[in-house]
């Protein structure tokens, strides 16, 4: 299972969240045919794709304005739990949470920060308007 959380532009708080359990790929962009639709001038119609690779996930940039992780532009990289990617150098930030062991909730570490708990509570529709 993978959860993508749109973060507030000025504070590290969740705005909207999407959880995917079975999808082999998740597309993010302005186009309505994406699984996650973000309306922002700096986001391409098909900006980034997150693909299932074995037991993990990889982030693949498709957008003209780039995808950034830790301030560095990437074309393709492995996704890690807790990674924050930015669409374009000044665009929306998305937190990636990866749960590889969804079968047993008791095997997960129960020491979550309050921020992680808040993120899991956010539920909303597919589309988001970003200024």
């Amino acid at each position: 299972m993978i959860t993508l959380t749109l973060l507030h532009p000025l504070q590290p708080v969740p705005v909207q969240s999407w959880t995917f359990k079975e999808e082999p790929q998740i597309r993010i962009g302005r186009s309505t045919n994406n699984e996650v639709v973000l309306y922002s001038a700096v986001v391409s119609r098909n900006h980034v794709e997150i693909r299932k690779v074995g037991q993990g996930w990889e982030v693949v940039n498709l957008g003209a304005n780039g995808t950034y992780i830790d301030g560095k532009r990437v074309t393709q990289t492995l996704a890690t739990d807790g990674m924050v990617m930015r669409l374009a150098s000044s665009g929306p930030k998305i937190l990636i949470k990866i749960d590889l062991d969804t079968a047993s909730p008791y095997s997960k570490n129960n020491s979550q920060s309050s921020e992680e708990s808040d993120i899991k509570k956010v539920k909303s529709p597919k589309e988001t308007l970003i200024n």
Side-chain angles (χ1 to χ4, degrees):
M1 180 169 69
I2 186 168
T3 300
L4 306 177
T5 302
L6 178 66
L7 299 175
H8 187 278
L10 302 175
Q11 303 163 4
V13 296
V15 174
Q16 186 169 352
S17 186
W18 302 266
T19 298
F20 301 94
K21 294 181 181 176
E22 303 292 327
E23 292 78 1
Q25 67 183 19
I26 303 154
R27 292 167 301 164
I28 303 169
R30 281 193 342 261
S31 176
T32 57
N33 69 344
N34 291 303
E35 285 74 29
V36 176
V37 179
L38 299 175
Y39 294 112
S40 171
V42 297
V43 174
S44 298
R45 281 181 287 247
N46 297 299
H47 196 103
V48 68
E49 188 172 87
I50 301 173
R51 300 176 185 158
K52 185 82 168 142
V53 178
Q55 293 296 313
W57 295 86
E58 70 178 353
V59 175
V60 180
N61 175 64
L62 305 172
N65 291 332
T67 300
Y68 294 79
I69 296 172
D70 294 328
K72 296 177 185 161
R73 190 172 179 151
V74 297
T75 54
Q76 185 172 348
T77 188
L78 286 175
T80 58
D81 184 48
M83 171 186 281
V84 175
M85 70 176 168
R86 186 168 213 152
L87 308 185
S89 61
S90 62
K93 293 186 286 186
I94 297 176
L95 171 67
I96 299 173
K97 295 297 288 178
I98 299 170
D99 184 4
L100 297 176
D101 187 20
T102 56
S104 174
Y106 300 105
S107 64
K108 290 176 69 177
N109 184 351
N110 289 331
S111 60
Q112 291 180 348
S113 70
S114 62
E115 181 181 47
E116 288 174 342
S117 297
D118 290 343
I119 288 171
K120 292 183 180 179
K121 294 176 189 172
V122 177
K123 300 285 182 199
S124 50
K126 175 179 171 179
E127 300 175 6
T128 301
L129 177 63
I130 310 276
N131 290 329

